[in-house]
Amino acid sequence: MAQQTLEDCLQRVELVRQEIGKVLVGQKDVVEQLLWAVFAGGHALLEGVPGLGKTLLVRTLSQAFELSFQRIQFTPDLMPTDITGTNILLVDEKGQQSFQFQHGPIFAHVVLADEINRATPKTQSALLEAMQERTVSAGGVTRRLPEPFFVLATQNPLEQEGTYPLPEAQMDRFLLKIDVPYPTEEELKMIVRQTTTSQVITVEKVASAEQIAEIQQAAREVLVADAVLDYAVKLLLATHPGELAIASVNKYVRNGAGPRGVQSIVSLAKVRALLAGRYNLAYEDVTAVALPALRHRIFLNFEGEANGIRPDRVIMDILDELGTQKV
């Protein structure tokens, strides 16, 4: 990878951060993790209570990119064809009838699936093919989605009323899950000052599809040493209950992360290394991305759910154990 290419990538990403910072107050870790997902070429799931700026973040990100954008508001009465599109009957001047495919909002570079867990499982499943295969099959025809293609979904915590938990298969399609925290006291004051004035903020487009593809390619070229890859694989295997698992995993975990988990760890860690100006993966990159890459892939058993255990705690226990072994 040429030094000039790396510098260009870092400058471009910094411009994107600056444009997002015009609108969004705080949430630096959330912004950074969302950029990891975009430059790793994957989908992201943002979870937090209403009003924390999840939708605003995704909309602002799309405005900073020269990409097409569609927002889908998920509701219990939303149908799969409302997302993918459907064939409509057309009648010409001579009375002849023909079918024409009406593209749904999924045919965009950036798709904001807002409050995805408010739709029924039938509608949620309409995203599965699009997210994994980047195609849509309708009327016996398979159609390609534009490149790049990202589903950036938001959801409310499951304790909120009127929500449907995402099935495990669909959760696994998301490259990472981002927990959006509540703003601090100082950030709340900044939010009020920024949103209660007549000032109009304009977000400039600072990154094209070609430039995003260049950063994605540069990230894929980041080198991974065998020792670091072994560490990532051990981290994944440690999420599975068994004789060699740590106590908290055996006590609280029903199922651990699948193979997509370690793929996500390495992909995200490569982007993090690149954005730090490095050509090679470090242990710190793996540990930094472990929580967002694995928290939605670890499923707790009844005891874990009953005790209010969060997957983050289990992952941190594993990282602590692996850290002592590594040293």
Side-chain angles (χ1 to χ4, degrees):
M1 187 192 307
Q3 184 66 30
Q4 185 61 40
T5 302
L6 177 59
E7 292 176 0
D8 290 344
C9 290
L10 297 180
Q11 291 174 3
R12 189 62 51 184
V13 174
E14 185 57 34
L15 288 174
V16 174
R17 291 194 188 104
Q18 291 174 7
E19 293 303 311
I20 295 175
K22 288 181 182 179
V23 178
L24 198 72
V25 175
Q27 306 288 17
K28 289 185 178 180
D29 289 342
V30 174
V31 172
E32 201 64 20
Q33 291 174 23
L34 190 57
L35 291 176
W36 294 348
V38 169
F39 297 129
H43 312 292
L45 177 64
L46 295 90
E47 181 175 283
V49 297
L52 297 184
K54 302 183 296 297
T55 302
L56 177 64
L57 169 59
V58 176
R59 186 182 296 278
T60 305
L61 182 73
S62 69
Q63 291 172 345
F65 293 143
E66 294 179 20
L67 302 174
S68 59
F69 170 75
Q70 289 285 353
R71 176 179 181 270
I72 306 172
Q73 179 64 53
F74 279 68
T75 57
D77 60 348
L78 191 73
M79 298 298 292
T81 52
D82 295 331
I83 298 173
T84 60
T86 187
N87 286 313
I88 59 174
L89 182 65
L90 298 179
V91 181
D92 60 19
E93 297 175 351
K94 299 180 180 179
Q96 294 181 334
Q97 298 178 342
S98 62
F99 283 99
Q100 178 178 314
F101 184 74
Q102 184 73 35
H103 289 77
I106 197 70
F107 286 89
H109 291 110
V110 180
V111 176
L112 168 57
D114 212 358
E115 296 187 307
I116 187 173
N117 61 331
R118 290 204 178 277
T120 60
K122 179 179 180 180
T123 302
Q124 291 172 2
S125 66
L127 285 176
L128 278 176
E129 180 190 2
M131 292 173 64
Q132 185 65 26
E133 308 298 335
R134 285 169 164 74
T135 60
V136 168
S137 298
V141 179
T142 300
R143 297 172 174 84
R144 296 289 307 175
L145 292 168
E147 290 288 345
F149 172 72
F150 309 105
V151 172
L152 306 178
T154 70
Q155 74 170 10
N156 298 323
L158 297 182
E159 58 266 26
Q160 299 286 327
E161 291 185 11
T163 59
Y164 299 83
L166 289 175
E168 297 176 7
Q170 182 150 334
M171 291 284 282
D172 202 34
R173 258 70 173 186
F174 287 101
L175 188 66
L176 79 172
K177 179 183 176 184
I178 304 170
D179 278 350
V180 183
Y182 205 79
T184 64
E185 181 180 352
E186 190 61 34
E187 288 171 348
L188 283 171
K189 290 191 288 187
M190 292 176 63
I191 290 170
V192 173
R193 292 192 185 104
Q194 186 168 302
T195 57
T196 57
T197 65
S198 58
Q199 181 183 6
V200 178
I201 301 174
T202 303
V203 178
E204 304 292 335
K205 295 186 181 298
V206 294
S208 65
E210 292 75 18
Q211 289 165 332
I212 294 172
E214 288 176 3
I215 298 174
Q216 290 175 341
Q217 181 59 36
R220 283 191 285 268
E221 294 175 2
V222 171
L223 301 176
V224 185
D226 286 342
V228 179
L229 182 57
D230 288 342
Y231 178 72
V233 171
K234 288 179 181 177
L235 172 59
L236 180 88
L237 294 176
T239 65
H240 294 264
E243 294 181 1
L244 301 179
I246 62 174
S248 59
V249 171
N250 283 327
K251 187 174 182 180
Y252 299 124
V253 176
R254 171 169 53 88
N255 293 112
R260 285 197 190 99
V262 73
Q263 290 174 321
S264 298
I265 289 172
V266 173
S267 297
L268 294 169
K270 282 187 172 186
V271 174
R272 185 183 186 275
L274 181 74
L275 299 188
R278 287 183 279 105
Y279 303 107
N280 60 289
L281 215 60
Y283 288 108
E284 65 187 53
D285 297 314
V286 175
T287 57
V289 305
L291 288 177
L294 295 178
R295 61 165 56 108
H296 58 302
R297 294 184 164 96
I298 293 177
F299 301 97
L300 304 177
N301 56 24
F302 176 79
E303 186 172 358
E305 296 281 359
N307 285 279
I309 303 298
R310 291 174 55 86
D312 285 23
R313 173 186 159 180
V314 176
I315 297 169
M316 292 304 298
D317 289 345
I318 293 172
L319 289 174
D320 289 343
E321 177 69 19
L322 291 180
T324 58
Q325 292 178 4
K326 183 178 65 177
V327 174

